[in-house]
Amino acid sequence: MERTTVLAICGSLRESSLHRALLTAVERRTPGLLLVGAELIRDLPLLDPDRDTPARLPSAVREFRLLAESARGAIISSPEYVHSASGVTKNALDWLAASTGLSGKPVLLMSASPGQTGGIRGLAALVPTLLALDAVLVDPITVSHASARILPDGEVVDAGLDLRLDIALEQLSQAIGRRLVPAHLG
Ligand SMILES: Cc1cc2nc3c(=O)[nH]c(=O)nc-3n(C[C@H](O)[C@H](O)[C@H](O)COP(=O)(O)O)c2cc1C
């Protein structure tokens, strides 16, 4: 199966992050998907428009933009912090403002939290930014009581979450126009 490149953004830098676990779970069940860029997030400096010139652009930003531009879509797995978006994610998206990296491309949003809300406010806060970047949003996934549903290594231990991931990835496949999951899962 030919793999399709999709940009990954993880909005948590925590070592045993549930959001990284969600990306790992996606990778495991989606042999047709090549997630790129997730490791770059730590190297992106805080947005500084003065550095957004060919001579001064940080190399990590240049690489991140190139990856976004070559990707067919994006998966953003990002926590809710203080009832809003992760600054890590917002900073990464702000660096994409001067590129066409997400323009017209499907984006799957995912969030998880140990509590009841599943981080929905963190995702909701990202929506205006993503629409401004001309992204096409597919139905998001929010995971409440997440530590009981997914392990830090990406193992999904909840049948409902399993099904929701399959449905979301099928939607993403259709929006991208490429099969990412084997037919028997789709
Ligand atoms: C500074 C901070 C603020 C947080 N604010 C919220 C919040 O507003 N709502 C919520 O549901 N969880 C909140 N949390 C809990 C996160 O949802 C939880 O730590 C989650 O596991 C973070 O994702 P991670 O496991 O990928 O690091 C907050 C956590 C931190 C560290």
Side-chain angles (χ1 to χ4, degrees):
M1 179 183 249
E2 192 195 333
R3 295 210 287 173
T4 301
T5 302
V6 167
L7 184 73
I9 294 178
C10 182
S12 167
L13 303 182
R14 212 164 61 82
E15 203 160 310
S16 47
S17 160
L18 291 165
H19 293 85
R20 191 159 315 105
L22 276 174
L23 286 173
T24 305
V26 163
E27 254 177 332
R28 283 207 190 135
R29 69 185 52 224
T30 322
L33 181 77
L34 178 65
L35 284 182
V36 297
E39 298 311 319
L40 265 178
I41 199 102
R42 281 182 187 278
D43 300 329
L44 294 178
L46 290 175
L47 180 76
D48 177 354
D50 284 344
R51 296 180 72 187
D52 201 348
T53 66
R56 296 191 62 200
L57 193 68
S59 58
V61 174
R62 185 173 294 117
E63 197 182 338
F64 185 62
R65 284 182 180 169
L66 287 173
L67 286 176
E69 275 154 22
S70 66
R72 299 287 298 258
I75 300 180
I76 300 176
S77 184
S78 188
E80 173 178 322
Y81 286 149
V82 203
H83 289 196
S84 191
S86 149
V88 172
T89 302
K90 180 64 164 62
N91 185 58
L93 294 177
D94 287 347
W95 275 118
L96 290 182
S99 88
T100 55
L102 296 184
S103 183
K105 295 181 186 171
V107 174
L108 168 63
L109 289 170
M110 306 192 293
S111 70
S113 87
Q116 183 71 38
T117 64
I120 184 79
R121 288 167 294 211
L123 297 191
L126 292 174
V127 168
T129 302
L130 286 162
L131 294 181
L133 295 176
D134 196 28
V136 179
L137 300 179
V138 302
D139 291 347
I141 290 187
T142 58
V143 188
S144 58
H145 308 298
S147 16
R149 301 185 200 274
I150 185 164
L151 305 182
D153 69 358
E155 186 188 346
V156 176
V157 289
D158 176 80
L161 177 56
D162 245 340
L163 182 60
R164 286 197 291 147
L165 282 167
D166 282 345
I167 291 170
L169 290 167
E170 180 58 25
Q171 266 193 21
L172 187 68
S173 287
Q174 283 180 14
I176 289 176
R178 298 274 274 272
R179 177 150 287 284
L180 305 177
V181 287
H184 71 277
L185 291 178

